[in-house]
Amino acid sequence: ALVVLAGSRPAVAAERPLLLGGDVSLLPLCEDAGVTYTVAGKPGEALAILGGSGCNTFRVRLFVAPDPDGAACQDLAWVARLGARIKARHATFLLDLHYSDTWADPGRQETPRAWSGLAPDALAARVESYTAAVVDSLTAAGARPDIVQLGNEITPGLLWPAGRLDGSEAAWVRLAALLRAAGRGARRADADGGTPLLLVHLATGG
């Protein structure tokens, strides 16, 4: 996937070290199922093992109101617990906001059920307030995200039908309004903690 980092200063991305890691959203589910992780036959904690191999960044996805059964189950409490584990290891925590109750990808970008039917301005306001509330809650839980991913694989837009791209200029304007709202919400972080970088995530980057 192609990722673009946008910081408050043009040089902020260049000042950061190379980010190396992966998505660990399902780690607690695997651990609860009895999965163990080893190095040379010796068991260890998964994030520690990955960190010892040079990984410094871990992504965790968040759904608005997910079904607790299945793999798309990450709610705010789940993300707070896993995010705190990541921060305790002094790694970079990348929060992946799906802005959906389920998987968001090039084939589906379903608006959360609780947000359906909102007028464009009201939807943008909800995106902003939701994003701000998420960052605030995670910060209070000791899991302030270092990077906030505004949507997942949004090549065709997000929050369909409002933010769906159809080739028209008007569609791009609607999508930009939603992304700006998301960015404003993400940047309402505690000044002492600094504001997170914003990430735009596109599919089929190659």
Side-chain angles (χ1 to χ4, degrees), residues 110-170:
E110 298 174 14
T111 296
R113 290 181 295 275
W115 304 0
S116 62
L118 291 177
D121 288 349
L123 180 60
R126 181 65 64 88
V127 168
E128 181 175 350
S129 63
Y130 166 79
T131 307
V134 164
V135 173
D136 286 344
S137 294
L138 293 176
T139 300
R144 186 186 70 84
D146 301 289
I147 305 172
V148 176
Q149 179 180 314
L150 306 178
N152 193 75
E153 297 186 346
I154 65 167
T155 310
L158 78 167
L159 292 162
W160 291 353
R164 186 167 192 165
L165 293 177
D166 58 13
S168 69
E169 181 178 347

Side-chain angles (χ1 to χ4, degrees), residues 41 56 61 66 68 90 101 104 145 162 170 182 196:
N56 60 11
R61 56 180 173 258
H90 305 290
D101 294 334

Side-chain angles (χ1 to χ4, degrees), residues 41-122:
K42 296 181 180 179
E45 196 270 338
L47 298 181
I49 291 173
L50 289 167
S53 298
C55 293
N56 60 11
T57 304
F58 300 104
R59 184 176 76 168
V60 181
R61 56 180 173 258
L62 173 65
F63 301 98
V64 177
D67 184 338
D69 298 321
C73 59
Q74 290 77 27
D75 60 11
L76 187 56
W78 179 296
V79 174
R81 289 191 297 270
L82 187 50
R85 286 177 60 181
I86 293 168
K87 298 292 287 188
R89 298 221 163 261
H90 305 290
T92 296
F93 172 31
L94 195 167
L95 172 65
D96 177 6
L97 293 170
H98 273 239
Y99 292 120
S100 180
D101 294 334
T102 188
W103 303 109
D105 55 46
R108 60 192 298 186
Q109 293 282 339
E110 298 174 14
T111 296
R113 290 181 295 275
W115 304 0
S116 62
L118 291 177
D121 288 349

